[in-house]
């Protein structure tokens, strides 16, 4: 897990790994290469106990958190290794109003075009 290598984008770019096992002062996560790694955690981390299947989330400042997988994946998007910046919506171009052109038949009682 070191050095920090973000692999998901939520509101922030984070590292996230599925939790495979939970202990009193550690969690074991599944790594993308198929291996596993035990990560030490504090009592504060376990104030809301993590569960197998939750996601371990590491922020750029090293802060560790966990989140149920369904909640995490509702907003998280995996980063493609070739993606430099996430796709952004194109800037909106201002709307240019066309000048109104009077219709030739408006105002004539018979509806025929004006000569």
């Amino acid at each position: 897990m070191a050095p920090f290598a973000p692999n998901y984008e939520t509101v922030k770019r984070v590292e996230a790994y599925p939790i495979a096992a939970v202990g009193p002062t550690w969690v074991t996560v599944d790594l993308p290469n198929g291996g596993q790694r035990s990560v030490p955690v504090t009592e504060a981390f376990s104030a809301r106990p993590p569960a197998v299947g939750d996601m371990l989330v590491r922020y750029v400042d090293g802060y560790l958190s966990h989140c149920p997988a369904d909640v995490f994946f509702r907003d998280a998007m995996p980063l493609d290794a070739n993606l430099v910046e996430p796709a952004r919506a194109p800037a909106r171009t201002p709307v240019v109003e066309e000048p109104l052109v009077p219709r030739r038949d408006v105002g004539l009682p018979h509806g025929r075009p004006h000569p």
Side-chain angles (χ1 to χ4, degrees):
M1 282 184 24
F4 183 74
N7 58 348
Y8 285 90
E9 178 152 323
T10 61
V11 174
K12 300 177 180 184
R13 288 188 177 190
V14 299
E15 276 184 286
Y17 303 95
I19 295 176
V22 178
T25 59
W26 52 268
V27 295
T28 298
V29 296
D30 291 328
L31 300 174
N33 66 5
Q36 290 187 327
R37 178 168 181 194
S38 288
V39 179
V41 296
T42 64
E43 286 181 30
F45 178 89
S46 299
R48 180 180 49 84
V52 171
D54 285 358
M55 297 297 287
L56 174 70
V57 180
R58 183 168 79 160
Y59 296 86
V60 69
D61 63 359
Y63 178 77
L64 292 175
S65 182
H66 60 92
C67 181
D70 61 333
V71 173
F72 179 82
F73 286 110
R74 191 177 315 145
D75 295 321
M77 176 181 298
L79 291 175
D80 181 339
N82 297 319
L83 182 65
V84 175
E85 283 296 322
R88 302 279 186 224
R92 294 184 64 167
T93 56
V95 175
V96 177
E97 292 188 21
E98 296 293 327
L100 295 177
V101 178
R103 290 181 45 188
R104 295 188 67 164
D105 62 348
V106 173
L108 297 177
H110 49 70
R112 290 184 302 211
H114 191 277

